[in-house]
Amino acid sequence: MRKPVIAGNWKMNKTKLESIKLVTELKNLLPRTVAADIIVAPPFTALTYVFEAISGSSIALAAQNCHWEDSGAYTGEVSPPMLKDLGCRYVILGHSERRQYFGETDSSVNKKLKAVLRSELIPIICVGESLEERKKRETFSIVEGQIKRGLASLTSTEFNEIIIAYEPIWAIGTGETATPAQAQEVHQLIRKVLGELFGGRNAAEIRIQYGGSVKADNVAELMAQEDIDGALVGGASLEARSFAEIIRFKSGD
Ligand code: PEP
């Protein structure tokens, strides 16, 4: 049974005080126990403050990126041990905005993945196709390639520690969501590819999040799909009430 995992990616938003306010509001809106793992990924500058604010709650901390070395002459970069030191438990890797604007490739994702695992952090590895690629019916080959190159030479033991996020680029920040059937189709493919690489039993246990304009009114039908185990949420995680509603997607929580 895969436990749902809902993560909020704040991107380059929120100052120190705004971050504390947002996460405190979120904390107050959540019930004591939630049937999902809850993660927030503030900008680097707010990690320490958010970590203090979530203390004693079920919310965990993620970074949005990292370097692949533990330390060294890499001006402006932040390493996995530094993130661990600040209380991070997860690191988002290969987000399409990093691939699009900052030259992230499957090869750099792979190096970062190894570094994150070395520091005993949990990587959330993002994959997804562009609109052009979807129109050309290349979705499966693009996503399969990203998975194979991004996870290259990972051991089965390491594999069990990771989370995958399928984020079709055309659905990120656009208000356009993949239909549950479109999303499920790709999630199923991802699980099949993972099964070929790491064995069916391991692949059956891995959590695959969907990301792309997830909101309170579409999360339930997405999460009802067999291979969708959570959501990576951008815009709707910047407001406590909307993110809390997404987290409480199962009535009764
Ligand atoms: C994201 O940035 O990972 C994302 C899915 O953004 P949004 O929810 O705003 O589409």
Side-chain angles (χ1 to χ4, degrees), residues 9 11 95 167 171-173 211-213 232-235:
N9 173 16
K11 311 194 185 191
H95 191 279
E167 298 210 303
I172 296 181
S213 300
L232 181 51
V233 186

Side-chain angles (χ1 to χ4, degrees), residues 11-203:
K11 311 194 185 191
M12 195 175 71
N13 293 293
K14 305 292 175 188
T15 60
K16 172 180 85 173
L17 288 181
E18 288 167 350
S19 297
I20 295 169
K21 182 168 177 286
L22 171 56
V23 82
T24 306
E25 278 173 16
L26 178 65
K27 196 166 111 170
N28 293 337
L29 283 168
L30 292 182
R32 192 169 288 276
T33 55
V34 187
D37 286 336
I38 315 298
I39 305 168
V40 292
F44 288 135
T45 47
L47 286 172
T48 299
Y49 307 101
V50 171
F51 181 66
E52 280 169 22
I54 59 178
S55 138
S57 78
S58 53
I59 305 171
L61 192 62
Q64 300 173 18
N65 180 36
C66 68
H67 195 265
W68 56 78
E69 292 290 349
D70 289 354
S71 63
Y74 299 100
T75 303
E77 293 292 324
V78 175
S79 75
M82 293 169 179
L83 297 172
K84 177 104 179 167
D85 187 41
L86 294 187
C88 286
R89 202 181 302 162
Y90 300 83
V91 186
I92 299 172
L93 295 178
H95 191 279
S96 62
E97 286 151 15
R98 295 220 55 87
R99 292 177 190 258
Q100 187 178 352
Y101 304 125
F102 304 104
E104 188 86 273
T105 61
D106 294 326
S107 152
S108 58
V109 168
N110 184 254
K111 288 201 274 184
K112 292 177 180 193
L113 170 62
K114 306 268 173 64
V116 163
L117 291 168
R118 227 175 22 242
S119 282
E120 297 180 337
L121 292 160
I122 300 171
I124 300 176
I125 301 136
C126 305
V127 295
E129 82 287 4
S130 67
L131 188 56
E132 293 68 37
E133 289 160 346
R134 176 161 281 266
K135 281 185 181 157
K136 285 195 273 171
R137 300 182 181 279
E138 291 173 356
T139 300
F140 282 15
S141 61
I142 293 292
V143 170
E144 182 170 3
Q146 289 171 332
I147 293 280
K148 287 188 168 163
R149 289 185 296 271
L151 305 189
S153 75
L154 206 66
T155 66
S156 298
T157 315
E158 288 172 329
F159 172 72
N160 290 328
E161 303 300 319
I162 73 173
I163 295 172
I164 303 282
Y166 168 58
E167 298 210 303
I169 299 170
W170 48 273
I172 296 181
T174 57
E176 196 162 329
T177 321
T179 63
Q182 281 174 322
Q184 165 59 22
E185 192 183 28
V186 183
H187 279 237
Q188 195 176 15
L189 166 91
I190 293 172
R191 208 176 294 286
K192 180 173 157 283
V193 173
L194 294 175
E196 287 160 12
L197 295 172
F198 301 100
R201 206 177 316 153
N202 288 329

Side-chain angles (χ1 to χ4, degrees), residues 221-232:
E221 52 178 0
L222 286 161
M223 292 293 295
Q225 303 302 307
E226 192 180 337
D227 289 292
I228 300 184
D229 309 310
L232 181 51

